[in-house]
Amino acid sequence: MKVEQVAIRTSYFSIAGNALLALAKALAGFFGNSFALIADAIESLTDVFSSTLVLLGLRYASKPADDNHPYGHGRIEPLVTFAVVGFLIISATVIAYEAIQNIGTPHETPKAWTLIVLGVIILWKEASFQIVLRRSKTTNSSSLKADAWHHRSDAITSVAAFVGITFAIVMGEGYETADDWAALFATVIILYNAFRIFRPALGELMDENTYEELTDEVRQISMSVHDVEGTEKCFVRKVGLQYQIDLHIRVDGALTVKRGHDIAHEVKDTLKAKLPQLANVHIHVEPTWEG
């Protein structure tokens, strides 16, 4: 299965899971007197929209190169990631505002059964995080990685809610706002994760040189091609789910132009065969002269 198809199916998984959880949390929070659960539902609702955005972005990024976009449409990926970060910031702001409002408003202690709901949610969201993060690594998708951390943020807010509700139930009267404080604390974690998602996506958009492991692989594979005497410059940039390579190789300066051309094509074909994540490889041939 192509990486694009894997990424798109993973997005559908996120959308369906977040929609069901948003409904479950909202109902449990309303009937169980827990704002922390309602705050969780708000974040899951924003997750539905952000996952939908990721899906649309992945579909657009998978479009083939054309005359107007000779390098493909992959640059939409970090832009979608920025939008997902925006959703995280909005959800954190809404949760914080509502939590502060509730802290100053007397209300009932959350129901004990809400802890069971939260326990199931925590397990599901952590499993979702692991699944989506693994798929993001398989597909090299920054927007899927952002979606994965959205799942982890959701799990963290659920853990905070679990702790807050447990504290409110155990301590009893006077501690009804414990789960509101838990929701407020969770917003700090959400904002921290938003920064963790934003920073690498910005680097991707700015073509930062952060692919040392892939660069080493490209050099080693190139050196395995007959008549390649060495490598010089090697620039890597990520475009969507794939990478663009600019590589300088050194060959014997006494070889014919045709032979140098053939070597360059052999290096390119070898790299693309062994590293399927490469979209395009541009080879520049440098001559080596004895003496």
Side-chain angles (χ1 to χ4, degrees), residues 256-267:
T256 65
V257 173
K258 182 180 184 307
R259 178 55 189 152
H261 176 79
D262 291 342
I263 293 170
H265 270 283
E266 189 176 346
V267 170

Side-chain angles (χ1 to χ4, degrees), residues 80-221:
V80 168
T81 302
F82 295 157
V84 172
V85 169
F87 275 112
L88 275 172
I89 293 172
I90 290 170
S91 64
T93 303
V94 171
I95 290 169
Y97 175 78
E98 292 295 336
I100 292 170
Q101 293 290 102
N102 275 272
I103 287 171
T105 305
H107 57 82
E108 297 180 39
T109 302
K111 304 292 184 182
W113 58 261
T114 57
L115 293 175
I116 299 173
V117 176
L118 276 169
V120 173
I121 289 170
I122 291 167
L123 292 175
W124 172 255
K125 294 304 290 185
E126 181 60 24
S128 298
F129 165 74
Q130 296 294 341
I131 291 169
V132 178
L133 185 66
R134 189 162 55 249
R135 299 279 177 81
S136 74
K137 292 177 179 178
T138 301
T139 59
N140 300 311
S141 171
S142 60
S143 58
L144 267 189
K145 183 179 180 181
D147 209 26
W149 279 101
H150 230 143
H151 286 296
R152 170 58 67 84
S153 295
D154 212 357
I156 290 170
T157 56
S158 296
V159 169
F162 189 95
V163 173
I165 291 172
T166 301
F167 193 81
I169 292 172
V170 171
M171 299 303 293
E173 188 176 349
Y175 291 88
E176 296 87 355
T177 61
D179 75 320
D180 301 308
W181 283 103
L184 190 60
F185 172 75
T187 62
V188 178
I189 306 298
I190 293 171
L191 291 174
Y192 171 71
N193 282 329
F195 175 76
R196 288 189 60 181
I197 295 166
F198 172 80
R199 185 61 189 86
L202 178 62
E204 182 179 327
L205 195 64
M206 297 296 292
D207 288 331
E208 283 187 4
N209 184 22
T210 57
Y211 309 107
E212 292 183 9
E213 187 175 334
L214 180 57
T215 300
D216 290 341
E217 279 190 273
V218 168
R219 291 186 185 277
Q220 290 172 11
I221 293 170

Side-chain angles (χ1 to χ4, degrees), residues 60-78:
Y60 184 82
S62 65
K63 292 173 63 177
D66 55 36
D67 291 340
N68 290 331
H69 305 87
Y71 293 102
H73 299 76
R75 285 298 189 197
I76 193 70
E77 264 251 290

